[in-house]
């Protein structure tokens, strides 16, 4: 099977968690505390995958300077794009409460654009990871899946409480799930045969964007609900992904 098809399938698998999360938002037994707990756990798992499966492999390929430059560039790109989307109404895209009430005409589009901004770097990481080691970074795929689930659950729950229709909610998350698969495939195609240092730097760009996203959106949302337990839950998520990478893998 061609690598870009494998990347597409892995990207679609991780993106499928977005649809599962959106569906769970319509299950009455899911509370905001459950969502926040899952979000903190998924954040910790993703931090572990970034550190031990992506940044470490990228460093082995290219050394510190290209990886550090790419990492900072990714964080800067995400931050400025996030500021733009926030000012257009996408500030509360991951909120599970009623904060997603339409602030102005473009707020719904901004929420969707913000969700897409959050998901694309993760998918690119999947596509590029084939060139960092031997095959896809499976721990990263699992961590992305675990982080996507509460992310979509929180946002879809907020959309539902704000009066969005099921067609809107599933249209947004279905589109982003599809975009995740395509981004993984395109990331794989774009870096086929590229210089290893360039591949490593590109992976670091995506990793920096993901870490900035976690700090700006997911962890604050989790802290707002589970408060002082957020750190412990995040550490458990980190440890689970670390175990998967170093022991189970």
């Amino acid at each position: 099977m061609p690598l870009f098809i494998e990347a597409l399938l892995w990207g679609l698998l991780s993106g499928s968690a977005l649809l599962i999360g959106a569906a769970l938002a319509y299950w009455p037994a899911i509370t905001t505390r459950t969502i926040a707990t899952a979000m903190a756990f998924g954040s910790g798992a993703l931090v572990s995958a970034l550190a031990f499966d992506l940044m470490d492999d990228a460093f082995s390929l290219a050394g510190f300077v290209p990886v550090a430059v790419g990492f900072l560039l990714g964080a800067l790109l995400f931050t400025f794009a996030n500021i733009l989307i926030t000012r257009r109404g996408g500030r509360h895209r991951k909120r599970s409460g009623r904060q997603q009430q339409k602030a102005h005409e473009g707020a719904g589009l901004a929420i969707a654009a913000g969700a897409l901004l959050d998901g694309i770097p993760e998918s690119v990481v999947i596509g590029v990871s084939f060139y960092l080691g031997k095959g896809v970074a499976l721990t990263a795929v699992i961590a992305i899946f675990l982080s996507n689930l509460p992310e979509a659950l929180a946002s879809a729950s907020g959309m539902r409480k704000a009066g969005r229709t099921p067609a809107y909610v599933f249209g947004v998350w279905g589109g982003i799930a599809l975009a995740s698969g395509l981004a993984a495939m395109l990331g794989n195609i774009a870096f086929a045969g590229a210089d290893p240092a360039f591949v490593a730097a590109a992976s670091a760009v995506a990793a920096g964007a993901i870490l900035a996203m976690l700090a700006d959106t997911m962890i604050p949302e989790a802290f707002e609900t589970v408060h002082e337990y957020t750190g412990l839950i995040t550490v458990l998520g980190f440890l689970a992904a670390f175990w998967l990478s170093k022991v189970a893998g």
Side-chain angles (χ1 to χ4, degrees), residues 33-235:
R33 193 169 186 84
T34 301
I35 295 171
T37 299
M39 192 168 280
F41 187 90
S43 296
L46 198 47
V47 169
S48 179
L50 293 179
F52 295 105
D53 284 276
L54 298 174
M55 291 294 287
D56 194 44
D57 287 344
F59 174 79
S60 297
L61 282 176
F64 179 76
V65 174
V67 172
V69 170
F71 195 64
L72 290 173
L73 178 61
L76 284 171
L77 289 173
F78 174 86
T79 299
F80 289 125
N82 189 51
I83 290 170
L84 179 62
I85 288 171
T86 293
R87 290 177 178 175
R88 292 181 178 275
R91 177 187 301 273
H92 300 304
R93 60 186 179 272
K94 285 187 170 65
R95 303 299 289 275
S96 57
R98 298 184 180 275
Q99 296 93 338
Q100 290 190 34
Q101 296 286 354
K102 195 187 299 185
H104 54 73
E105 192 64 28
L109 181 61
I111 289 170
L116 189 62
L117 169 69
D118 299 338
I120 292 301
E122 297 173 345
S123 302
V124 171
V125 156
I126 292 174
V128 175
S129 70
F130 283 88
Y131 305 120
L132 292 177
K134 297 179 180 178
V136 69
L138 186 57
T139 303
V141 172
I142 295 171
I144 291 168
F145 185 95
L146 290 175
S147 66
N148 278 344
L149 194 65
E151 176 182 346
L153 177 54
S155 185
S157 179
M159 289 177 180
R160 179 177 60 81
K161 291 175 183 177
R164 305 289 182 185
T165 65
Y168 176 91
V169 173
F170 285 101
V172 167
W173 292 108
I176 295 170
L178 178 59
S180 296
L182 293 175
M185 181 181 72
L186 293 174
N188 185 269
I189 292 172
F191 294 100
D195 183 85
F198 187 70
V199 172
S203 179
V205 169
I210 293 169
L211 186 57
M213 179 272 290
L214 293 176
D216 282 351
T217 59
M218 289 184 68
I219 293 176
E221 165 67 7
F223 179 79
E224 186 171 309
T225 303
V226 293
H227 306 303
E228 62 271 16
Y229 295 104
T230 304
L232 176 60
I233 297 166
T234 304
V235 166

